[in-house]
Amino acid sequence: MHFSSPKMVCETKIVADEHDAIPGGTKKDSIMWTSPAPGAALSAAEPKDVRKDAVFIREFELGDQEEVRRIFYEGIMERIPNTAFRGLRQQPHTQLFYALLTVMCFFMTKSVTLTCCAPLFLMGARYYYSWKVIQNYLDCALHTDMADIEAYYMTPTGSCFWVAMLDGRVVGIVAAEGREDDNTVELRRMSVDSRYRGKGIAKALGRRVLEFAVRNNYAAVVLGTTAVKLAAHKLYESLGFRQTGQSEDYRLPGMSRSLLERLFFQIRYSRYRMQLREE
């Protein structure tokens, strides 16, 4: 696998709903992305200081560490209620099991009050175990790669970490981790500050990883996600990824796999891949 020189620099403008091409770039590239008004032309000569919606994507710097960890932490914490409640919609067998438990509660207690409280207890247990597992996962991540981004992503050849800047502040993050064993790069840690979503920032960050993979001659870009929201999966598909598999038995770092955890915490792991060239 051949890597381009780190001294090469390329600046590219990306519009959020552009689908036709993946501009090339090196590990040292920066990207300016803007969201123009409908029907408005994007002018390269337009002064930057009047483009209030401009998002600048650049490499991670040590001074970004605190904001990067905050965005990552808040993004993962959002998954607690999503996994506990929204995720139940994707688990018909679990729904049936909870319904049977509720019916059993009525026959065993003959109490309408206790039977009505059973679903609340089950949902409370789901929230607790979602909180517990995801907190353990966060603790693991914040003490490994997210504790030393420079060492995990910036120092190794074939990996990188970027931040999206808006009005001088970090509003989004994404990482690329190279794998020389199968000549692929993994898209990791993508997250956007909840206050700045809906602006196409996540798509621009995703394209930055694709550029990096193309310029560094990787055969494919892969990712794995436990996201429950459909919007996350649509984002990957809009970037050109295709789902290659799903697992209902995925084990997050920090999971104990105890009986109660298996009863009240289920997660679906989806794998995506974008083939860039044939080996």
Side-chain angles (χ1 to χ4, degrees):
M1 179 172 59
H2 173 70
F3 293 98
S4 57
S5 166
K7 294 183 179 179
M8 295 179 64
V9 177
C10 172
E11 290 191 359
T12 308
K13 289 186 177 65
I14 295 180
V15 180
D17 52 2
E18 176 184 293
H19 295 280
D20 299 330
I22 301 172
T26 70
K27 184 170 179 176
K28 296 300 182 185
D29 292 354
S30 299
I31 296 177
M32 177 69 73
W33 170 85
T34 59
S35 178
L42 183 63
S43 171
E46 186 180 353
K48 294 181 179 179
D49 59 352
V50 301
R51 299 163 75 171
K52 301 299 184 182
D53 57 352
V55 176
F56 185 68
I57 299 177
R58 61 163 174 79
E59 288 185 15
F60 169 84
E61 298 173 358
L62 289 177
D64 303 326
Q65 183 76 29
E66 184 177 347
E67 280 296 283
V68 165
R69 284 168 61 92
R70 178 189 64 80
I71 291 172
F72 174 71
Y73 178 87
E74 291 177 357
I76 296 297
M77 288 296 288
E78 288 178 7
R79 297 195 179 187
I80 295 175
N82 286 335
T83 302
F85 307 130
R86 192 184 300 226
L88 187 57
R89 301 175 186 174
Q90 303 171 352
Q91 299 152 9
H93 292 93
T94 303
Q95 293 178 36
L96 178 60
F97 177 69
Y98 289 173
L100 289 174
L101 287 179
T102 303
V103 172
M104 288 175 60
C105 177
F106 175 75
F107 282 107
M108 292 175 66
T109 66
K110 304 298 183 181
S111 170
V112 175
T113 302
L114 289 176
T115 302
C116 291
C117 289
L120 297 177
F121 170 80
L122 293 170
M123 291 301 99
R126 283 185 65 88
Y127 186 88
Y128 170 76
Y129 280 97
S130 294
W131 174 84
K132 180 181 177 182
V133 171
I134 290 173
Q135 280 285 359
N136 288 340
Y137 167 74
L138 263 173
D139 185 65
C140 179
L142 292 174
H143 286 85
T144 52
D145 63 308
M146 296 304 289
D148 195 346
I149 293 170
E150 188 74 24
Y152 271 82
Y153 296 108
M154 304 307 295
T155 301
T157 302
S159 297
C160 197
F161 196 104
W162 298 272
V163 298
M165 303 292 297
L166 178 62
D167 295 331
R169 66 182 304 165
V170 177
V171 296
I173 61 174
V174 73
E177 183 176 21
R179 299 174 173 177
E180 294 200 14
D181 56 339
D182 59 357
N183 197 22
T184 64
V185 64
E186 182 180 5
L187 185 154
R188 305 190 68 200
R189 305 311 191 198
M190 181 188 284
S191 187
V192 175
D193 190 315
S194 59
R195 294 168 294 180
Y196 298 93
R197 291 174 188 166
K199 299 177 180 292
I201 297 172
K203 182 172 284 189
L205 287 166
R207 287 201 181 123
R208 186 63 191 88
V209 175
L210 301 183
E211 292 178 0
F212 177 80
V214 169
R215 181 54 64 98
N216 287 286
N217 296 319
Y218 283 106
V221 182
V222 298
L223 66 89
T225 182
T226 57
V228 174
K229 288 184 177 179
L230 185 60
H233 297 272
K234 286 186 175 180
L235 168 65
Y236 302 136
E237 291 171 358
S238 72
L239 286 167
F241 286 91
R242 295 294 175 263
Q243 190 174 107
T244 59
Q246 285 187 333
S247 173
E248 303 288 346
D249 196 38
Y250 181 70
R251 184 167 182 170
L252 281 173
M255 288 181 67
S256 66
R257 302 296 292 175
S258 66
L259 176 60
L260 287 175
E261 190 175 274
R262 290 197 299 271
L263 286 175
F264 297 113
F265 180 82
Q266 298 88 28
I267 198 164
R268 176 180 293 174
Y269 181 76
S270 301
R271 296 180 295 277
Y272 285 86
R273 182 182 182 96
M274 178 190 284
Q275 195 69 31
L276 300 175
R277 62 183 177 84
E278 295 299 327
E279 286 294 303

